[in-house]
């Protein structure tokens, strides 16, 4: 197991999510104390939903919501009320239940024509992170990421063109044919790697083969799995449940 990565293993998704919530709250309070706001990029899919519910529930009063700005690491090109929408999942689990100013919710505008969405979202980011950072990529305070069984993260899929993007902050992406909503919008790898903190939330036995490959040999894994290429300038913390870590690893 590489000593470079911070790894925490929990009995189940609930305990994983609870600790991630507590660490997120620490980062939010540090960011607000440090520079007056907390820029948080959210993961989609199903794993982070428990975390979002905890933030809206028992941890609700520990977060300075008026200073929190929500973004999405990726989105499916469907309407914001579609069952596949990452925004819809976060809206139901979190946004609809906390006192977050509407102007602090920076949704990927998938109602626009597909070919314009990535550029429109990049403009949203440029306006928020102005003046444009000297490094030419925005530094989110925290980016939450999940990981698919194929090692994708956000909508950066193995062998996908978006994975190789090195200039744009936001890019269109195409999920493999096995996915229901294939047309995606995603933050690019340079943006993920510019974050101050990255939390991976990974749960379930279906992920253990890739998790084991990444944690045991990150260099070799980075040639196969996009998630292994997320090595931010800041810290990357892997929150795993025992099923994803694999017993007797
Ligand atoms: C998405 C996510 C994606 C997700 C992984 C894991 O839009 O689907 O952003 O990167 O994190 O596919 O998804 P699960 O948490 O559902 O396993």
């Amino acid at each position: 197991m590489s000593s470079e990565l911070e790894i925490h293993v929990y009995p189940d998704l609930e305990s994983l999510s609870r600790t991630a919530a507590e660490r997120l709250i620490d980062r939010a309070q540090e960011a607000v104390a440090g520079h007056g706001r907390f820029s948080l990029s959210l993961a989609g899919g199903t794993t982070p939903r428990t975390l979002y519910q905890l933030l809206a529930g028992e941890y609700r009063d520990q977060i300075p919501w008026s200073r929190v700005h929500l973004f999405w690491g990726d989105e499916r090109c469907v309407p914001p009320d579609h069952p596949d929408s990452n925004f819809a999942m976060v809206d139901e689990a979190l946004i609809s239940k906390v006192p977050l100013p509407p102007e602090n919710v920076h949704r990927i505008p998938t109602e626009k024509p597909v070919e314009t969405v990535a550029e429109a979202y990049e403009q949203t980011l440029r306006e928020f992170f102005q003046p444009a950072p000297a490094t030419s990529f925005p530094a989110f305070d925290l980016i939450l990421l999940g990981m698919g069984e194929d090692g994708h993260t956000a909508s950066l899929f193995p062998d996908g063109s978006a994975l190789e993007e090195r200039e744009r902050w936001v890019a269109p992406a195409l999920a493999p044919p096995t996915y229901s909503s294939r047309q995606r919008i995603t933050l690019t790898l340079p943006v993920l790697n510019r974050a101050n903190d990255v939390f991976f939330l990974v749960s379930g036995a279906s992920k253990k083969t890739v998790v084991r490959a990444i944690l045991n040999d990150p260099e070799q894994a980075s040639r196969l799995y996009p998630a292994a290429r997320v090595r931010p300038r800041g810290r990357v913390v892997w929150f795993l449940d025992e099923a994803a870590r694999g017993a007797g690893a």
Side-chain angles (χ1 to χ4, degrees):
M1 187 186 304
S2 163
S3 59
E4 296 168 43
L5 304 177
E6 185 179 337
I7 299 115
H8 302 282
V9 184
Y10 301 89
D12 51 36
L13 178 58
E14 171 77 18
S15 51
L16 179 163
S17 305
R18 192 170 292 280
T19 305
E22 290 161 6
R23 291 283 296 266
L24 183 150
I25 289 163
D26 291 344
R27 288 295 301 120
Q29 291 171 347
E30 283 167 24
V32 170
H35 49 272
R37 66 188 191 184
F38 178 51
S39 53
L40 172 62
S41 175
L42 299 171
T46 57
T47 303
R49 192 162 179 275
T50 304
L51 166 61
Y52 301 151
Q53 290 172 326
L54 287 169
L55 297 177
E58 64 184 272
Y59 292 102
R60 186 181 191 273
D61 297 337
Q62 298 181 40
I63 296 168
W65 292 108
S66 65
R67 304 296 190 88
V68 174
H69 288 264
L70 297 184
F71 300 84
W72 276 257
D74 74 324
E75 185 55 279
R76 295 81 180 274
C77 290
V78 296
D81 58 356
H82 187 283
D84 282 358
S85 164
N86 287 333
F87 168 81
M89 183 270 284
V90 175
D91 189 36
E92 187 279 328
L94 178 61
I95 296 170
S96 58
K97 298 178 170 65
V98 296
L100 194 68
E103 63 271 20
N104 289 22
V105 179
H106 308 280
R107 178 176 64 82
I108 297 177
T110 53
E111 67 280 4
K112 293 178 181 292
V114 168
E115 65 279 3
T116 69
V117 176
E119 190 176 332
Y121 201 54
E122 180 159 332
Q123 189 52 37
T124 297
L125 297 183
R126 288 185 181 278
E127 285 165 14
F128 181 83
F129 288 100
Q130 65 180 349
T135 61
S136 85
F137 294 104
F140 282 92
D141 291 308
L142 176 60
I143 296 181
L144 301 179
L145 293 172
M147 188 186 76
E149 296 174 19
D150 59 358
H152 83 260
T153 190
S155 282
L156 301 175
F157 291 91
D159 306 322
S161 59
L163 182 59
E164 303 312 323
E165 176 61 50
R166 291 293 176 272
E167 302 296 328
R168 292 187 291 180
W169 296 8
V170 184
L174 192 61
T178 48
Y179 287 78
S180 55
S181 299
R182 296 191 62 195
Q183 190 69 45
R184 309 280 186 97
I185 302 295
T186 186
L187 295 184
T188 57
L189 194 58
V191 173
L192 303 186
N193 281 333
R194 183 67 185 83
N196 291 322
D197 279 290
V198 172
F199 289 180
F200 272 102
L201 309 177
V202 184
S203 166
S206 68
K207 315 288 178 77
K208 71 178 179 183
T209 302
V210 177
V211 165
R212 186 172 296 177
I214 291 176
L215 301 189
N216 292 344
D217 187 345
E219 287 315 313
Q220 167 62 19
S222 65
R223 288 190 272 278
L224 298 170
Y225 308 118
R229 292 169 69 169
V230 178
R231 315 290 292 279
R233 291 174 44 155
R235 290 172 296 192
V236 55
V237 183
W238 287 74
F239 295 87
L240 306 171
D241 64 8
E242 286 168 358
R245 184 63 186 95

